[in-house]
Amino acid sequence: MTAENQRRAWMSLLAKAPADRLLALWQEHGAAPAFHWLRAPEIGATMVRGRLGGTGAPFNLGEMTLTRCALQLESGAVGHGYVQGRDKQKAEIAALVDAMMQGPEAEAVEAAILKPLGDELADAKTARAEKAAATKVDFFTMVRGED
């Protein structure tokens, strides 16, 4: 996986993570590194686009509330946080994790925060799939046969 794809994966994971769980893992990990804001957390809206059947022409589905921020660690690494909703703290933590994943502490951050979040989201996805599969109905047509 390329570095760009790896970053896209951890940014997606941070955006999808429940805020309370991300905060708990962040607090367990330890103190935040020193940083300064490039863009303090701000709340806005973004247009969500969709495609019919996943392949059709794109169309504007509607707007979604978004919180974003950008910061720079003393080491020089720049982190960005984009999260759905109006949670400035979650955006800040996401930006800090993003910046730390670009430095020497990447392995520790991945083990302490990203791996548990990824496992929990995968488990939740599996549980949803199993719940949906339990309601599956197989329809079949009986053909009156000739004896």
Side-chain angles (χ1 to χ4, degrees), residues 5-147:
N5 287 340
Q6 288 176 335
R7 188 172 187 199
R8 184 176 293 138
W10 79 61
M11 294 289 287
S12 173
L13 182 61
L14 291 167
K16 293 174 186 171
D20 56 343
R21 186 63 181 134
L22 179 60
L23 177 61
L25 289 170
W26 177 252
Q27 289 172 339
E28 288 174 17
H29 177 65
F35 69 91
H36 70 272
W37 291 112
L38 299 175
R39 178 187 301 130
E42 56 189 16
I43 298 168
T46 187
M47 182 61 66
V48 178
R49 306 222 39 196
R51 292 179 182 264
L52 289 176
T55 59
F59 65 94
N60 292 338
L61 185 62
E63 290 186 348
M64 174 184 82
T65 307
L66 175 81
T67 304
R68 69 179 183 174
C69 66
L71 52 81
Q72 185 172 26
L73 301 180
E74 286 184 342
S75 66
V78 175
H80 300 277
Y82 288 86
V83 298
Q84 181 179 353
R86 305 172 59 88
D87 194 337
K88 291 181 179 183
Q89 184 179 35
K90 182 179 177 186
E92 178 182 340
I93 294 170
L96 283 164
V97 171
D98 178 41
M100 293 172 70
M101 284 297 294
Q102 299 172 53
E105 59 274 305
E107 286 183 28
V109 170
E110 184 171 7
I113 298 172
L114 297 179
K115 177 90 169 84
L117 284 176
D119 292 345
E120 291 167 13
L121 289 175
D123 290 345
K125 185 176 181 179
T126 301
R128 280 192 311 273
E130 288 173 355
K131 186 176 179 181
T135 64
K136 181 180 177 185
V137 177
D138 288 323
F139 292 97
F140 61 93
T141 304
M142 292 184 63
V143 177
R144 294 186 182 173
E146 300 172 12
D147 281 347

